[in-house]
Amino acid sequence: MNAMDRVPLYQKIQDYIRSLINSHGLKEGDRIPTEKELMERFNVSKITVVNALTGLANENVITRVPGRGSFVSSQASMVNAVETRPTASSVAVRHEPAARAGASTKSGIIGLILPSIHDYFAARLTQGVQRALTEKGYRTVIMLSNSALSVENEAIQTLMDMGAEGMLIFPVDEEQYNVEILGMKLSGYPFILIDRYLPGVETHYIAGDGRAGAALAVDHLWELGHREIAICSDSPIQTVTVQERIQGYMDALKKKGALINPAHIITEFAPFNEVKEDHPLYRYIRNRMATAYITLNSKLGMNVYRTARQCGLSVPEDLSLVSFDDPTAIAEDMSVFTHVKQFEHEIGYEAANKLIEVINDKQAAEHKYSKMIVKPELVVRQSTGPLKPVQ
């Protein structure tokens, strides 16, 4: 194996672009090859190309313009002249490993990608992330995917362009894998998945124990005398998170010798904000098909509560309700909902600390993936009560 074979792919791309600028006499503002052209020429992923271009942009060799492409910078000739000098310092810079986001300098930026921030789970998760990164001297750049895979991809690319050293990603609900996330894994880019993971693909991730959380909810409602216990999800697809919580629900009922009623596993509807009488969940609650409900997210918990009120039912006198995460509380002592507490602040804090560890230890990051599972607790408040005797 010769020395050229040992040169990282991202560096080969950088050397090629520098050579183009010098040999073709490219001037300030001239366009360099597109990402697609570079991907085809070097047979590499988009992530590798983005890493290479981000490094050149950080060195002021090129200027990247979102939506237009990359162009020769005004300082390119000066930078290239320095790069060609055979000094020890230039060699050290040129052969720096691609462990730090593929950039040649530390940006101090960590990206956090969330589907949304409409609930307290996301807010408290973000607080935990920011606390850890502030302690370590990093800045947080938060981007929202709006639960769309295409927007999530754009967020990843934008953070790459900014020179983010690593990312914390709460993936969107999609049946197919995000190719950008797979590309980051293949290129060795540091990232941590939060709440969800990619089945069959080894990555660092941290999540609450959904099975244990569902079991806690079932056990509590069972002790209160409830036997018709429904579990509800408004996720458009059966994600790993949803599947694990439903499995925990079924396992808990089986341990009690109860039969699983498929009608009590309510998942065949899309997310909704306005309660309407023609909604299947409205009809289910109005007809009192169950005496207790477990909702797999806090927003849905609030919607079930409103629907029960609209149907003339009282909580917890007529209907008991447990949600994953608290849909109402700003302060812990103001909570009114019985809920599965997932310690989202702690999840965010631990995820950020793990990412910094991965960034600083590239070799460990490549050979050992960590799976962090946080045990939940049940917080009992006013939305659950004993089963009301039939009159």
Side-chain angles (χ1 to χ4, degrees):
M1 179 181 292
N2 57 41
M4 188 61 185
D5 291 330
R6 293 194 297 269
V7 177
L9 288 172
Y10 82 96
Q11 187 176 313
K12 290 182 180 180
I13 297 172
Q14 292 176 338
D15 290 344
Y16 170 71
I17 293 173
R18 288 191 181 95
S19 175
L20 276 181
I21 293 173
N22 289 330
S23 62
H24 289 69
L26 298 184
K27 300 180 179 60
E28 177 185 356
D30 287 346
R31 186 190 296 271
I32 66 168
T34 65
E35 292 179 0
K36 183 178 180 181
E37 290 169 343
L38 292 171
M39 289 167 60
E40 293 175 350
R41 181 178 184 86
F42 289 91
N43 192 27
V44 296
S45 69
K46 184 172 183 177
I47 294 294
T48 301
V49 171
V50 169
N51 286 347
L53 297 181
T54 299
L56 291 175
N58 289 339
E59 298 168 20
N60 293 319
V61 175
I62 63 171
T63 299
R64 306 198 68 195
V65 181
R68 293 186 56 199
S70 298
F71 304 86
V72 178
S73 166
S74 60
Q75 301 183 45
S77 58
M78 178 180 68
V79 172
N80 285 329
V82 173
E83 285 291 336
T84 56
R85 297 172 188 170
T87 63
S89 59
S90 66
V91 172
V93 172
R94 292 287 299 280
H95 289 277
E96 182 180 8
R100 312 190 74 85
S104 59
T105 58
K106 282 192 62 175
S107 65
I109 295 174
I110 298 296
L112 171 61
I113 302 177
L114 300 168
S116 68
I117 52 172
H118 68 257
D119 57 24
Y120 290 114
F121 181 92
R124 288 188 283 254
L125 179 75
T126 302
Q127 290 171 355
V129 168
Q130 290 184 304
R131 175 188 160 206
L133 294 181
T134 299
E135 291 175 356
K136 297 293 193 299
Y138 285 83
R139 295 174 292 158
T140 314
V141 176
I142 302 172
M143 305 200 73
L144 304 181
S145 65
N146 298 321
S147 297
L149 189 62
S150 60
V151 180
E152 182 177 86
N153 286 340
E154 291 175 4
I156 291 173
Q157 293 171 23
T158 299
L159 289 167
M160 286 282 190
D161 290 346
M162 295 175 65
E165 295 189 51
M167 295 185 205
L168 299 163
I169 305 173
F170 193 127
V172 302
D173 290 339
E174 286 289 346
E175 293 177 294
Q176 71 270 29
Y177 292 156
N178 186 325
V179 294
E180 293 289 342
I181 292 178
L182 291 176
M184 288 193 292
K185 170 184 165 59
L186 294 173
S187 68
Y189 182 89
F191 70 96
I192 307 287
L193 297 184
I194 299 175
D195 190 68
R196 299 165 189 154
Y197 62 90
L198 307 180
V201 180
E202 280 193 305
T203 62
H204 295 286
Y205 84 93
I206 181 169
D209 191 333
R211 293 192 183 204
L216 288 172
V218 170
D219 290 345
H220 172 64
L221 293 168
W222 192 272
E223 290 174 2
L224 292 173
H226 295 279
R227 298 298 180 264
E228 303 299 326
I229 303 171
I231 187 166
C232 308
S233 167
D234 60 356
S235 173
I237 63 171
Q238 293 299 299
T239 64
V240 171
T241 303
V242 171
Q243 291 173 358
E244 289 187 342
R245 293 177 183 182
I246 291 177
Q247 188 61 54
Y249 159 87
M250 293 192 296
D251 290 345
L253 288 176
K254 288 177 182 177
K255 287 181 180 179
K256 302 178 188 309
L259 295 176
I260 306 299
N261 184 350
H264 285 346
I265 302 176
I266 312 171
T267 59
E268 300 301 322
F269 60 86
F272 64 97
N273 294 314
E274 184 180 354
V275 178
K276 295 183 179 180
E277 294 187 3
D278 61 349
H279 195 282
L281 185 59
Y282 178 93
R283 295 193 298 269
Y284 197 96
I285 293 173
R286 181 192 59 195
N287 294 330
R288 306 188 75 164
M289 302 291 289
T291 64
Y293 291 79
I294 302 169
T295 66
L296 298 193
N297 63 68
S298 58
K299 185 178 180 182
L300 180 56
M302 189 61 92
N303 282 333
V304 169
Y305 177 79
R306 293 193 187 107
T307 302
R309 294 280 300 270
Q310 188 171 332
C311 293
L313 301 177
S314 298
V315 177
E317 290 79 12
D318 300 315
L319 179 152
S320 284
L321 176 61
V322 180
S323 72
F324 269 77
D325 313 313
D326 188 355
T328 58
I330 297 176
E332 190 62 36
D333 58 357
M334 294 175 62
S335 172
V336 296
F337 270 74
T338 297
H339 62 277
V340 177
K341 182 177 181 180
Q342 298 193 90
F343 297 96
E344 50 270 29
H345 184 281
E346 289 78 1
I347 288 176
Y349 185 82
E350 292 301 326
N353 277 323
K354 182 62 183 180
L355 179 60
I356 301 306
E357 178 186 326
V358 171
I359 290 172
N360 291 329
D361 190 354
K362 179 63 162 47
Q363 185 173 2
E366 289 181 334
H367 299 289
K368 186 177 180 181
Y369 292 100
S370 63
K371 174 182 178 182
M372 296 175 281
I373 303 297
V374 178
K375 292 294 181 183
E377 289 183 4
L378 185 73
V379 179
V380 180
R381 294 290 190 259
Q382 289 79 44
S383 65
T384 54
L387 178 66
K388 188 177 180 180
V390 178
Q391 300 296 329

